[in-house]
Coordinates of all heavy atoms in Angstrom, one line a residue:
R1 N 101.3 119.0 144.7 CA 100.4 120.2 144.9 C 99.4 120.1 143.7 O 99.8 119.8 142.6 CB 101.3 121.4 144.9 CG 102.1 121.6 146.1 CD 103.0 122.8 145.9 NE 102.2 124.0 145.8 CZ 101.8 124.9 146.8 NH1 102.3 124.6 148.0 NH2 101.1 125.9 146.5
L2 N 98.2 120.6 143.9 CA 97.1 120.5 143.0 C 97.4 121.3 141.7 O 97.3 120.8 140.5 CB 95.8 121.0 143.6 CG 94.6 121.0 142.7 CD1 94.3 119.5 142.3 CD2 93.4 121.6 143.4
E3 N 98.0 122.5 141.9 CA 98.3 123.3 140.7 C 99.3 122.7 139.8 O 99.5 123.2 138.6 CB 98.6 124.8 141.1 CG 99.9 124.9 141.9 CD 99.7 124.8 143.3 OE1 98.7 124.3 143.9 OE2 100.7 125.2 144.0
N4 N 100.1 121.8 140.3 CA 101.2 121.2 139.5 C 100.9 119.9 138.7 O 101.6 119.5 137.9 CB 102.5 121.0 140.3 CG 103.0 122.2 140.9 OD1 102.9 123.3 140.2 ND2 103.6 122.2 142.0
I5 N 99.7 119.4 139.0 CA 99.3 118.2 138.4 C 98.8 118.5 136.9 O 98.3 119.5 136.6 CB 98.1 117.6 139.2 CG1 98.6 117.1 140.5 CG2 97.4 116.4 138.4 CD1 97.5 116.6 141.4
Q6 N 99.2 117.5 136.1 CA 98.8 117.6 134.6 C 97.7 116.8 134.3 O 97.8 115.5 134.1 CB 100.1 117.3 133.7 CG 101.2 118.2 134.0 CD 102.5 117.7 133.4 OE1 102.7 116.5 133.2 NE2 103.4 118.6 133.0
P7 N 96.4 117.3 134.3 CA 95.3 116.4 134.1 C 95.1 115.9 132.7 O 95.5 116.7 131.7 CB 94.1 117.4 134.4 CG 94.6 118.8 134.2 CD 96.1 118.7 134.5
L8 N 94.8 114.7 132.5 CA 94.6 114.1 131.2 C 93.2 113.6 131.0 O 92.8 112.7 131.7 CB 95.6 112.9 131.0 CG 95.6 112.2 129.6 CD1 95.9 113.2 128.5 CD2 96.6 111.1 129.6
L9 N 92.4 114.3 130.2 CA 91.0 113.9 130.0 C 90.9 112.6 129.2 O 91.7 112.4 128.3 CB 90.4 115.1 129.1 CG 88.9 115.2 129.1 CD1 88.4 115.4 130.5 CD2 88.5 116.4 128.2
K10 N 90.0 111.8 129.6 CA 89.7 110.6 128.9 C 89.1 110.9 127.5 O 88.5 112.0 127.3 CB 88.8 109.6 129.7 CG 89.4 109.0 130.9 CD 88.4 108.1 131.6 CE 89.1 107.4 132.8 NZ 88.1 106.6 133.4
P11 N 89.3 110.0 126.5 CA 88.6 110.3 125.2 C 87.1 110.5 125.3 O 86.4 109.8 126.1 CB 88.9 109.0 124.5 CG 90.0 108.3 125.2 CD 89.9 108.7 126.6
G12 N 86.7 111.5 124.6 CA 85.2 111.8 124.6 C 85.0 112.9 123.6 O 85.9 113.3 122.7
R13 N 83.7 113.4 123.6 CA 83.3 114.4 122.6 C 82.6 115.6 123.3 O 81.8 115.4 124.2 CB 82.3 113.7 121.7 CG 81.8 114.6 120.6 CD 80.9 113.8 119.6 NE 79.8 113.0 120.3 CZ 78.7 113.5 120.7 NH1 78.4 114.8 120.4 NH2 77.8 112.7 121.2
F14 N 83.1 116.8 122.9 CA 82.4 118.0 123.4 C 81.3 118.4 122.5 O 81.4 118.3 121.3 CB 83.4 119.2 123.4 CG 84.4 119.1 124.5 CD1 85.7 118.6 124.3 CD2 84.1 119.6 125.8 CE1 86.6 118.5 125.3 CE2 85.0 119.5 126.8 CZ 86.3 119.1 126.6
D15 N 80.1 118.7 123.1 CA 79.0 119.2 122.3 C 78.7 120.7 122.8 O 78.2 120.9 123.9 CB 77.8 118.3 122.7 CG 76.5 118.6 121.9 OD1 76.6 119.5 121.1 OD2 75.5 117.9 122.1
A16 N 79.1 121.6 121.9 CA 79.0 122.9 122.1 C 77.5 123.4 122.3 O 77.2 124.4 123.1 CB 79.8 123.8 121.1
A17 N 76.7 122.8 121.5 CA 75.3 123.2 121.4 C 74.5 122.9 122.8 O 73.7 123.7 123.2 CB 74.5 122.5 120.3
N18 N 74.9 121.8 123.4 CA 74.3 121.4 124.6 C 75.1 121.5 125.8 O 74.7 121.2 127.0 CB 73.9 119.9 124.6 CG 72.8 119.6 123.5 OD1 71.9 120.4 123.3 ND2 73.0 118.4 122.9
D19 N 76.3 122.2 125.6 CA 77.3 122.3 126.8 C 77.5 121.1 127.6 O 77.3 121.0 128.8 CB 76.9 123.5 127.6 CG 77.0 124.9 127.0 OD1 77.9 125.0 126.1 OD2 76.2 125.8 127.3
T20 N 78.0 120.1 126.9 CA 78.2 118.8 127.6 C 79.5 118.1 127.0 O 79.9 118.5 126.0 CB 77.1 117.7 127.4 OG1 76.9 117.5 125.9 CG2 75.8 118.2 127.9
F21 N 80.0 117.2 127.8 CA 81.1 116.4 127.4 C 80.7 114.9 127.6 O 80.3 114.6 128.7 CB 82.4 116.7 128.2 CG 83.6 115.8 127.9 CD1 84.3 115.9 126.8 CD2 83.9 114.8 128.8 CE1 85.4 115.1 126.5 CE2 85.0 114.0 128.5 CZ 85.7 114.1 127.4
T22 N 80.8 114.1 126.6 CA 80.4 112.7 126.6 C 81.7 111.8 126.6 O 82.4 111.9 125.6 CB 79.4 112.4 125.5 OG1 78.3 113.3 125.5 CG2 78.9 110.9 125.7
L23 N 81.8 111.0 127.6 CA 83.0 110.0 127.5 C 82.7 109.0 126.5 O 81.6 108.4 126.4 CB 83.1 109.4 129.0 CG 83.6 110.4 130.0 CD1 83.4 109.7 131.4 CD2 85.1 110.7 129.8
K24 N 83.8 108.6 125.8 CA 83.6 107.6 124.7 C 83.3 106.3 125.3 O 82.5 105.5 124.7 CB 85.0 107.6 123.9 CG 84.9 106.8 122.6 CD 86.2 107.0 122.0 CE 86.2 106.1 120.6 NZ 87.4 106.4 119.9
E25 N 84.1 105.9 126.3 CA 83.9 104.5 126.8 C 82.7 104.2 127.5 O 82.0 103.2 127.1 CB 85.2 104.2 127.8 CG 86.5 104.1 127.2 CD 87.7 103.8 128.3 OE1 87.3 103.8 129.4 OE2 88.7 103.8 127.9
S26 N 82.3 105.0 128.5 CA 81.1 104.7 129.2 C 79.8 105.4 128.7 O 78.7 105.1 129.1 CB 81.3 105.3 130.7 OG 81.5 106.6 130.7
G27 N 80.0 106.4 127.8 CA 78.9 107.1 127.3 C 78.3 108.2 128.3 O 77.2 108.8 128.1
Q28 N 79.0 108.3 129.4 CA 78.5 109.2 130.4 C 78.6 110.6 130.0 O 79.6 111.1 129.4 CB 79.3 109.0 131.7 CG 79.1 109.9 132.9 CD 80.0 109.8 134.1 OE1 81.0 109.0 134.0 NE2 79.8 110.5 135.1
T29 N 77.6 111.4 130.3 CA 77.5 112.8 129.9 C 77.8 113.7 131.0 O 77.0 113.6 132.1 CB 76.1 113.2 129.2 OG1 76.0 112.3 128.0 CG2 76.1 114.6 128.7
V30 N 78.7 114.7 131.0 CA 79.0 115.6 131.9 C 78.6 117.0 131.5 O 79.0 117.5 130.5 CB 80.6 115.6 132.2 CG1 80.9 116.6 133.3 CG2 81.0 114.2 132.5
P31 N 77.7 117.6 132.3 CA 77.2 119.0 132.0 C 78.4 120.0 132.2 O 79.1 119.9 133.2 CB 76.1 119.3 132.9 CG 76.2 118.3 134.0 CD 77.0 117.1 133.5
L32 N 78.4 121.0 131.3 CA 79.5 122.0 131.4 C 78.9 123.4 131.4 O 77.8 123.6 130.9 CB 80.5 121.9 130.3 CG 81.2 120.5 130.1 CD1 82.0 120.5 128.8 CD2 82.0 120.1 131.3
N33 N 79.7 124.4 131.7 CA 79.4 125.8 131.5 C 80.6 126.3 130.7 O 81.6 125.6 130.4 CB 79.2 126.5 132.8 CG 80.2 126.3 133.8 OD1 81.4 126.2 133.4 ND2 79.9 126.3 135.1
S34 N 80.7 127.6 130.5 CA 81.8 128.2 129.7 C 83.1 128.0 130.3 O 84.1 127.6 129.6 CB 81.5 129.6 129.3 OG 81.5 130.4 130.6
A35 N 83.2 128.2 131.6 CA 84.6 128.1 132.3 C 85.0 126.6 132.3 O 86.1 126.3 132.0 CB 84.4 128.6 133.8
S36 N 84.0 125.7 132.5 CA 84.4 124.2 132.5 C 84.8 123.8 131.2 O 85.8 123.1 131.1 CB 83.1 123.4 132.9 OG 82.6 123.8 134.2
S37 N 84.1 124.2 130.1 CA 84.4 123.8 128.8 C 85.8 124.3 128.4 O 86.6 123.6 127.8 CB 83.4 124.4 127.9 OG 83.6 124.0 126.5
A38 N 86.1 125.6 128.7 CA 87.4 126.1 128.4 C 88.5 125.5 129.1 O 89.6 125.2 128.5 CB 87.4 127.6 128.7
F39 N 88.3 125.0 130.3 CA 89.3 124.4 131.1 C 89.5 123.0 130.6 O 90.6 122.5 130.3 CB 88.9 124.3 132.6 CG 89.8 123.6 133.4 CD1 90.9 124.3 133.9 CD2 89.6 122.2 133.7 CE1 91.8 123.5 134.8 CE2 90.5 121.5 134.5 CZ 91.6 122.2 135.1
L40 N 88.4 122.1 130.4 CA 88.5 120.8 130.0 C 89.1 120.6 128.6 O 89.8 119.6 128.3 CB 87.2 120.1 130.1 CG 86.7 119.9 131.5 CD1 85.3 119.2 131.5 CD2 87.6 119.0 132.3
Q41 N 88.9 121.5 127.7 CA 89.4 121.4 126.4 C 90.9 121.5 126.3 O 91.5 121.1 125.4 CB 88.8 122.4 125.4 CG 87.3 122.1 125.2 CD 86.7 123.1 124.2 OE1 87.4 123.9 123.6 NE2 85.4 123.1 124.2

């Protein structure tokens, strides 16, 4: 069931000023909003 899965975020860096998360390995930047940021952290 989706609600029982324990998500594990890959290593990366949150940038609060730009509301983004950048993956360490690939350098890919994921845009976030407040709900996304609170969840992913």
Side-chain angles (χ1 to χ4, degrees):
R1 293 181 57 100
L2 181 63
E3 66 268 16
N4 295 331
I5 294 176
Q6 299 169 331
L8 181 57
L9 199 58
K10 287 184 176 178
R13 183 176 48 85
F14 284 96
D15 184 359
N18 297 323
D19 287 331
T20 60
F21 175 73
T22 307
L23 289 167
K24 187 177 182 179
E25 290 177 3
S26 64
Q28 178 184 2
T29 301
V30 179
L32 303 174
N33 54 31
S34 62
S36 303
S37 182
F39 178 86
L40 289 178
Q41 288 179 16

